[in-house]
Amino acid sequence: MGTIAKAETLPASADSPAYNDSTILAERRRSKIKRELTVWALRIGALVVFVFGWAFATGQRIVDPTLVSTPGEVGTSFVKQLGDGTFWVDVTATFSGAMAGLVAGAALGILAGVIFARVEVLHVAARPFLTLMNSLPRPALAPIFILWFGLGFGPKALVAFSVVFFVLMTSTMGALQGIDHDIKQLTQSLGMTRKQRFFKIELPSALPSIVGGLRLGAVYSVLGAVVSEMVGAYTGLGQRLVVVTNNFQVSETFAILLAMGFLSMILDLSISVLQKLVTKWTR
């Protein structure tokens, strides 16, 4: 009888691991959904509090609406901007300059970071010059680039490049130099060549940090392009911002700032998708 009882309990114990696994997966999904809902609730709540606080402060004259406008006026100005053909010309000019600076700065910054990380003596020799160039204020570079290349596409792309290059170079160097020394020793003991070690160990380990630097560079590329346009340009959101500010059009000013923020967010979200893919691949 004892043997029969044990035999009868076997199927239940065999099924229990599958049941437990499915329960754990379901719990993880519920936890993930709950977390996403909490995040969006906090975001929407913060936005609502900000907008209503702004409306209350201007409506009660705690803050002069002439100086900060109102949420309704900013929203109306933003919608009007979207219907203006010249606005999209300015968006295209800013976006193209930022993207050119981002692509060129990222490519050369990553390449420079790899070279300096692998040839330490070269990095030590170049460090004072790199520090000097990186410490130059970008608004001060914009007039020089405008003097050299005029008021068109070139200056905004170069200012964006000057920001992105150093961000990617620094993040690439830090990622490659931060690889565990024991891993390097292990690959040497296994007889891997420097090329094999770089492509199979070092680069995959450094990719998440490099893509993280790329996200930061994307935001800075828009900032660099706008700074150059504010100094001087035919078209662009920066030039548009200067015009409306000089005319004391406060609501239009905030609407353009909102458009710049959305442009940076779009770039950041695009690269965040790439970062997730890279993180999955390198795990």
Side-chain angles (χ1 to χ4, degrees):
M1 293 293 291
T3 306
I4 294 172
K6 288 181 181 178
E8 288 177 351
T9 59
L10 281 175
S13 62
D15 291 340
S16 59
Y19 173 77
N20 290 336
D21 288 345
S22 62
T23 304
I24 291 171
L25 289 173
E27 185 63 32
R28 285 179 178 175
R29 282 194 293 268
R30 284 195 295 268
S31 178
K32 185 177 180 181
I33 293 171
K34 183 179 179 181
R35 181 178 177 276
E36 289 292 330
L37 290 174
T38 304
V39 168
W40 278 104
L42 289 172
R43 288 173 177 172
I44 295 171
L47 181 61
V48 169
V49 169
F50 174 76
V51 171
F52 274 94
W54 182 3
F56 177 80
T58 53
Q60 297 297 318
R61 296 283 175 172
I62 299 172
V63 180
D64 189 353
T66 306
L67 300 178
V68 298
S69 190
T70 64
E73 290 176 352
V74 172
T76 302
S77 297
F78 184 72
V79 172
K80 285 181 180 179
Q81 299 274 1
L82 295 179
D84 185 359
T86 59
F87 170 77
W88 293 106
V89 172
D90 291 333
V91 170
T92 302
T94 301
F95 184 76
S96 60
M99 284 301 299
L102 177 62
V103 172
L108 293 180
I110 292 171
L111 179 61
V114 170
I115 292 172
F116 288 141
R118 293 174 67 85
V119 187
E120 187 177 355
V121 65
L122 187 61
H123 175 233
V124 173
R127 186 184 298 159
F129 305 105
L130 294 171
T131 303
L132 176 64
M133 289 186 290
N134 192 27
S135 64
L136 295 176
R138 299 317 186 265
L141 290 177
I144 298 174
F145 292 148
I146 291 171
L147 180 64
W148 291 347
F149 302 104
L151 295 172
F153 173 81
K156 64 186 76 175
L158 285 172
V159 173
F161 169 85
S162 68
V163 180
V164 176
F165 173 82
F166 288 102
V167 171
L168 267 296
M169 184 189 71
T170 304
S171 62
T172 302
M173 285 180 57
L176 292 174
Q177 292 173 344
I179 295 174
D180 194 343
H181 180 70
D182 292 337
I183 295 177
K184 293 181 180 180
Q185 293 292 105
L186 178 61
T187 56
Q188 289 175 359
S189 66
L190 293 174
M192 295 179 68
T193 63
R194 295 188 68 183
K195 183 179 179 181
Q196 289 174 328
R197 186 167 69 247
F198 176 74
F199 284 105
K200 293 184 178 182
I201 303 295
E202 295 176 356
L203 185 59
S205 299
L207 269 178
S209 296
I210 294 173
V211 178
L214 191 62
R215 287 185 67 177
L216 186 62
V219 176
Y220 283 167
S221 67
V222 176
L223 177 62
V226 169
V227 165
S228 176
E229 290 167 350
M230 291 179 71
V231 174
Y234 292 121
T235 57
L237 292 176
Q239 183 60 26
R240 193 181 189 90
L241 181 65
V242 171
V243 171
V244 297
T245 304
N246 289 341
N247 291 328
F248 300 101
Q249 296 172 284
V250 180
S251 61
E252 285 81 359
T253 299
F254 280 109
I256 294 170
L257 291 174
L258 189 61
M260 292 177 185
F262 281 136
L263 188 59
S264 297
M265 285 177 62
I266 291 169
L267 283 174
D268 181 69
L269 288 173
S270 301
I271 297 175
S272 69
V273 174
L274 175 62
Q275 187 177 25
K276 290 179 181 178
L277 294 174
V278 167
T279 304
K280 279 185 179 179
W281 178 65
T282 53
R283 279 178 179 173

